Amino acid sequence: EAAGTRRETPGASAPANMVLAVVGTHATLSMEPVHMMKKVFGPRGTDVRAVFFGLEPRWCNILNICDYGGSAIAQLFRASEQDPYAYPWDRLRGELVQIHEEDPQMQSA
């Protein structure tokens, strides 16, 4: 296959809307997967929207890039960065699951 060409799957369709739940603390790095999904699905007519979990609200406001999904994940990430040994994977996973279960906006993304 030639470089720069794409092979489309016959009969494949793209959804009309896509809501992405993006988890991360770094604003520009969090935008990368959103940009990629828009590049792939935007030309197919999909409206791609991102809800960011973990960004501080000020970054959403400063960069005007996102719907803000709440502060619980940002608080968890800050705590785990300050004391990483207090947050082994099992604890971090458990707290993320709990946040997900308590946040309807995250569940819908």
Side-chain angles (χ1 to χ4, degrees):
E1 192 169 304
T5 62
R6 264 187 229 175
R7 186 181 315 171
E8 297 292 332
T9 305
S13 63
N17 298 295
M18 183 182 300
V19 180
L20 306 173
V22 183
V23 178
T25 58
H26 193 280
T28 55
L29 292 177
S30 294
M31 284 301 300
E32 286 184 11
V34 176
H35 176 74
M36 289 180 222
M37 296 300 276
K38 285 182 177 183
K39 290 282 276 185
V40 171
F41 289 98
R44 296 178 179 188
T46 300
D47 178 34
V48 179
R49 187 174 71 85
V51 180
F52 290 79
F53 297 90
L55 291 181
E56 294 179 12
R58 66 185 175 117
W59 290 113
C60 290
N61 295 331
I62 290 170
L63 299 175
N64 194 28
I65 59 170
C66 59
D67 289 335
Y68 180 65
S71 63
I73 289 181
Q75 292 168 357
L76 175 61
F77 287 168
R78 271 196 301 277
S80 67
E81 288 170 354
Q82 290 176 0
D83 188 3
Y85 294 106
Y87 290 86
W89 180 246
D90 288 343
R91 178 179 179 188
L92 193 59
R93 181 186 174 281
E95 291 195 29
L96 285 169
V97 167
Q98 181 178 354
I99 291 168
H100 178 267
E101 290 173 352
E102 294 173 356
D103 188 336
Q105 188 176 15
M106 182 176 247
Q107 293 170 15
S108 68

Short mmCIF file of all heavy atoms in Angstrom, two decimals, residues 81-108:
data_model
loop_
_atom_site.label_atom_id
_atom_site.label_comp_id
_atom_site.label_asym_id
_atom_site.label_seq_id
_atom_site.Cartn_x
_atom_site.Cartn_y
_atom_site.Cartn_z
N GLU A 81 0.67 12.40 42.84
CA GLU A 81 1.96 12.98 42.44
C GLU A 81 2.77 13.42 43.64
O GLU A 81 3.99 13.30 43.65
CB GLU A 81 1.73 14.17 41.50
CG GLU A 81 1.25 13.76 40.12
CD GLU A 81 0.80 14.94 39.28
OE1 GLU A 81 0.75 16.09 39.79
OE2 GLU A 81 0.48 14.71 38.10
N GLN A 82 2.09 13.91 44.68
CA GLN A 82 2.78 14.35 45.89
C GLN A 82 3.34 13.18 46.69
O GLN A 82 4.39 13.31 47.31
CB GLN A 82 1.86 15.20 46.76
CG GLN A 82 1.56 16.54 46.15
CD GLN A 82 0.56 17.33 46.98
OE1 GLN A 82 0.08 16.89 48.02
NE2 GLN A 82 0.23 18.52 46.51
N ASP A 83 2.63 12.06 46.68
CA ASP A 83 3.08 10.89 47.44
C ASP A 83 2.80 9.62 46.63
O ASP A 83 1.85 8.88 46.93
CB ASP A 83 2.37 10.84 48.79
CG ASP A 83 2.93 9.77 49.71
OD1 ASP A 83 3.92 9.10 49.32
OD2 ASP A 83 2.38 9.59 50.80
N PRO A 84 3.59 9.37 45.59
CA PRO A 84 3.30 8.24 44.70
C PRO A 84 3.29 6.88 45.39
O PRO A 84 2.55 5.98 44.98
CB PRO A 84 4.40 8.31 43.64
CG PRO A 84 5.36 9.34 44.07
CD PRO A 84 4.77 10.11 45.19
N TYR A 85 4.07 6.71 46.44
CA TYR A 85 4.12 5.41 47.11
C TYR A 85 2.84 5.12 47.91
O TYR A 85 2.55 3.98 48.25
CB TYR A 85 5.35 5.30 48.01
CG TYR A 85 6.62 5.32 47.19
CD1 TYR A 85 7.44 6.44 47.17
CD2 TYR A 85 6.99 4.22 46.41
CE1 TYR A 85 8.59 6.47 46.41
CE2 TYR A 85 8.14 4.24 45.65
CZ TYR A 85 8.93 5.37 45.65
OH TYR A 85 10.07 5.39 44.89
N ALA A 86 2.08 6.16 48.18
CA ALA A 86 0.81 5.97 48.90
C ALA A 86 -0.30 5.53 47.95
O ALA A 86 -1.38 5.19 48.40
CB ALA A 86 0.41 7.27 49.59
N TYR A 87 -0.01 5.54 46.65
CA TYR A 87 -1.02 5.21 45.64
C TYR A 87 -0.55 4.08 44.73
O TYR A 87 -0.30 4.30 43.54
CB TYR A 87 -1.39 6.45 44.82
CG TYR A 87 -2.16 7.45 45.61
CD1 TYR A 87 -1.50 8.40 46.38
CD2 TYR A 87 -3.55 7.43 45.62
CE1 TYR A 87 -2.22 9.32 47.15
CE2 TYR A 87 -4.27 8.34 46.37
CZ TYR A 87 -3.59 9.28 47.14
OH TYR A 87 -4.31 10.17 47.89
N PRO A 88 -0.42 2.86 45.26
CA PRO A 88 -0.12 1.75 44.37
C PRO A 88 -1.29 1.56 43.39
O PRO A 88 -2.39 2.10 43.59
CB PRO A 88 0.02 0.55 45.30
CG PRO A 88 -0.71 0.93 46.53
CD PRO A 88 -0.65 2.43 46.63
N TRP A 89 -1.04 0.81 42.34
CA TRP A 89 -2.04 0.67 41.27
C TRP A 89 -3.41 0.26 41.79
O TRP A 89 -4.42 0.79 41.37
CB TRP A 89 -1.55 -0.30 40.21
CG TRP A 89 -2.56 -0.43 39.12
CD1 TRP A 89 -3.28 -1.53 38.80
CD2 TRP A 89 -3.02 0.59 38.23
NE1 TRP A 89 -4.15 -1.27 37.77
CE2 TRP A 89 -4.00 0.03 37.40
CE3 TRP A 89 -2.69 1.94 38.06
CZ2 TRP A 89 -4.67 0.76 36.41
CZ3 TRP A 89 -3.35 2.67 37.07
CH2 TRP A 89 -4.32 2.06 36.27
N ASP A 90 -3.48 -0.69 42.72
CA ASP A 90 -4.78 -1.15 43.22
C ASP A 90 -5.57 -0.02 43.88
O ASP A 90 -6.78 0.10 43.69
CB ASP A 90 -4.61 -2.30 44.21
CG ASP A 90 -4.20 -3.60 43.54
OD1 ASP A 90 -4.36 -3.70 42.30
OD2 ASP A 90 -3.73 -4.50 44.24
N ARG A 91 -4.89 0.81 44.66
CA ARG A 91 -5.59 1.93 45.31
C ARG A 91 -6.03 2.96 44.27
O ARG A 91 -7.17 3.44 44.31
CB ARG A 91 -4.69 2.60 46.34
CG ARG A 91 -5.37 3.79 47.00
CD ARG A 91 -4.53 4.46 48.04
NE ARG A 91 -5.24 5.61 48.60
CZ ARG A 91 -4.70 6.47 49.41
NH1 ARG A 91 -3.44 6.32 49.82
NH2 ARG A 91 -5.39 7.50 49.86
N LEU A 92 -5.14 3.30 43.35
CA LEU A 92 -5.46 4.28 42.33
C LEU A 92 -6.64 3.80 41.48
O LEU A 92 -7.59 4.54 41.22
CB LEU A 92 -4.24 4.54 41.46
CG LEU A 92 -4.27 5.75 40.54
CD1 LEU A 92 -4.48 7.03 41.32
CD2 LEU A 92 -2.99 5.82 39.73
N ARG A 93 -6.59 2.55 41.09
CA ARG A 93 -7.68 1.97 40.29
C ARG A 93 -9.00 2.01 41.06
O ARG A 93 -10.03 2.40 40.54
CB ARG A 93 -7.35 0.53 39.90
CG ARG A 93 -8.42 -0.11 39.06
CD ARG A 93 -8.12 -1.60 38.83
NE ARG A 93 -9.20 -2.24 38.15
CZ ARG A 93 -10.34 -2.65 38.73
NH1 ARG A 93 -10.53 -2.47 40.02
NH2 ARG A 93 -11.30 -3.22 38.03
N GLY A 94 -8.95 1.63 42.33
CA GLY A 94 -10.16 1.62 43.15
C GLY A 94 -10.77 3.01 43.28
O GLY A 94 -12.00 3.18 43.21
N GLU A 95 -9.93 4.01 43.47
CA GLU A 95 -10.44 5.38 43.61
C GLU A 95 -10.99 5.90 42.28
O GLU A 95 -11.98 6.62 42.25
CB GLU A 95 -9.37 6.29 44.19
CG GLU A 95 -9.08 5.93 45.65
CD GLU A 95 -8.31 6.98 46.40
OE1 GLU A 95 -8.43 8.17 46.06
OE2 GLU A 95 -7.61 6.61 47.36
N LEU A 96 -10.34 5.52 41.17
CA LEU A 96 -10.86 5.92 39.85
C LEU A 96 -12.22 5.28 39.59
O LEU A 96 -13.12 5.93 39.06
CB LEU A 96 -9.87 5.55 38.75
CG LEU A 96 -8.64 6.43 38.65
CD1 LEU A 96 -7.62 5.80 37.70
CD2 LEU A 96 -9.00 7.84 38.20
N VAL A 97 -12.37 4.02 39.96
CA VAL A 97 -13.66 3.33 39.79
C VAL A 97 -14.73 4.04 40.61
O VAL A 97 -15.84 4.29 40.13
CB VAL A 97 -13.55 1.84 40.17
CG1 VAL A 97 -14.92 1.20 40.30
CG2 VAL A 97 -12.71 1.10 39.13
N GLN A 98 -14.41 4.39 41.83
CA GLN A 98 -15.38 5.08 42.70
C GLN A 98 -15.77 6.43 42.11
O GLN A 98 -16.95 6.79 42.09
CB GLN A 98 -14.80 5.27 44.10
CG GLN A 98 -15.76 5.95 45.04
CD GLN A 98 -15.19 6.09 46.44
OE1 GLN A 98 -14.13 5.58 46.75
NE2 GLN A 98 -15.90 6.81 47.30
N ILE A 99 -14.79 7.19 41.62
CA ILE A 99 -15.08 8.48 41.00
C ILE A 99 -16.01 8.29 39.80
O ILE A 99 -16.98 9.02 39.62
CB ILE A 99 -13.78 9.20 40.59
CG1 ILE A 99 -13.01 9.65 41.84
CG2 ILE A 99 -14.07 10.39 39.67
CD1 ILE A 99 -11.59 10.10 41.57
N HIS A 100 -15.70 7.27 38.99
CA HIS A 100 -16.54 6.99 37.81
C HIS A 100 -17.97 6.67 38.23
O HIS A 100 -18.93 7.15 37.63
CB HIS A 100 -15.94 5.84 37.01
CG HIS A 100 -16.74 5.46 35.82
ND1 HIS A 100 -17.69 4.47 35.87
CD2 HIS A 100 -16.76 5.96 34.56
CE1 HIS A 100 -18.25 4.36 34.68
NE2 HIS A 100 -17.70 5.25 33.86
N GLU A 101 -18.13 5.86 39.26
CA GLU A 101 -19.46 5.46 39.70
C GLU A 101 -20.27 6.63 40.25
O GLU A 101 -21.48 6.63 40.21
CB GLU A 101 -19.35 4.36 40.77
CG GLU A 101 -18.88 3.04 40.18
CD GLU A 101 -18.61 1.99 41.24
OE1 GLU A 101 -18.63 2.30 42.45
OE2 GLU A 101 -18.36 0.84 40.85
N GLU A 102 -19.57 7.67 40.77
CA GLU A 102 -20.26 8.81 41.38
C GLU A 102 -20.44 9.99 40.42
O GLU A 102 -21.05 10.99 40.80
CB GLU A 102 -19.48 9.27 42.62
CG GLU A 102 -19.47 8.23 43.72
CD GLU A 102 -18.57 8.58 44.88
OE1 GLU A 102 -17.86 9.62 44.82
OE2 GLU A 102 -18.55 7.83 45.87
N ASP A 103 -19.91 9.90 39.20
CA ASP A 103 -19.95 11.04 38.28
C ASP A 103 -20.75 10.70 37.03
O ASP A 103 -20.23 10.06 36.11
CB ASP A 103 -18.51 11.42 37.91
CG ASP A 103 -18.43 12.72 37.13
OD1 ASP A 103 -19.42 13.11 36.48
OD2 ASP A 103 -17.35 13.33 37.15
N PRO A 104 -22.01 11.13 36.97
CA PRO A 104 -22.85 10.82 35.80
C PRO A 104 -22.27 11.36 34.49
O PRO A 104 -22.43 10.74 33.44
CB PRO A 104 -24.18 11.50 36.11
CG PRO A 104 -24.15 11.85 37.54
CD PRO A 104 -22.72 11.91 37.97
N GLN A 105 -21.59 12.51 34.55
CA GLN A 105 -21.02 13.07 33.32
C GLN A 105 -19.91 12.16 32.79
O GLN A 105 -19.80 11.94 31.59
CB GLN A 105 -20.47 14.47 33.57
CG GLN A 105 -20.04 15.16 32.28
CD GLN A 105 -19.58 16.58 32.51
OE1 GLN A 105 -19.32 16.98 33.63
NE2 GLN A 105 -19.47 17.34 31.44
N MET A 106 -19.12 11.60 33.68
CA MET A 106 -18.06 10.68 33.25
C MET A 106 -18.68 9.39 32.69
O MET A 106 -18.20 8.86 31.69
CB MET A 106 -17.11 10.35 34.39
CG MET A 106 -15.98 9.44 33.98
SD MET A 106 -14.82 9.16 35.32
CE MET A 106 -13.41 9.98 34.62
N GLN A 107 -19.73 8.93 33.28
CA GLN A 107 -20.38 7.72 32.82
C GLN A 107 -20.97 7.88 31.41
O GLN A 107 -21.01 6.95 30.64
CB GLN A 107 -21.50 7.30 33.77
CG GLN A 107 -20.98 6.86 35.13
CD GLN A 107 -22.09 6.68 36.14
OE1 GLN A 107 -23.27 6.61 35.80
NE2 GLN A 107 -21.73 6.63 37.41
N SER A 108 -21.41 9.10 31.10
CA SER A 108 -22.02 9.32 29.79
C SER A 108 -21.00 9.58 28.70
O SER A 108 -21.35 9.58 27.52
CB SER A 108 -23.01 10.47 29.86
OG SER A 108 -22.34 11.70 30.07
#
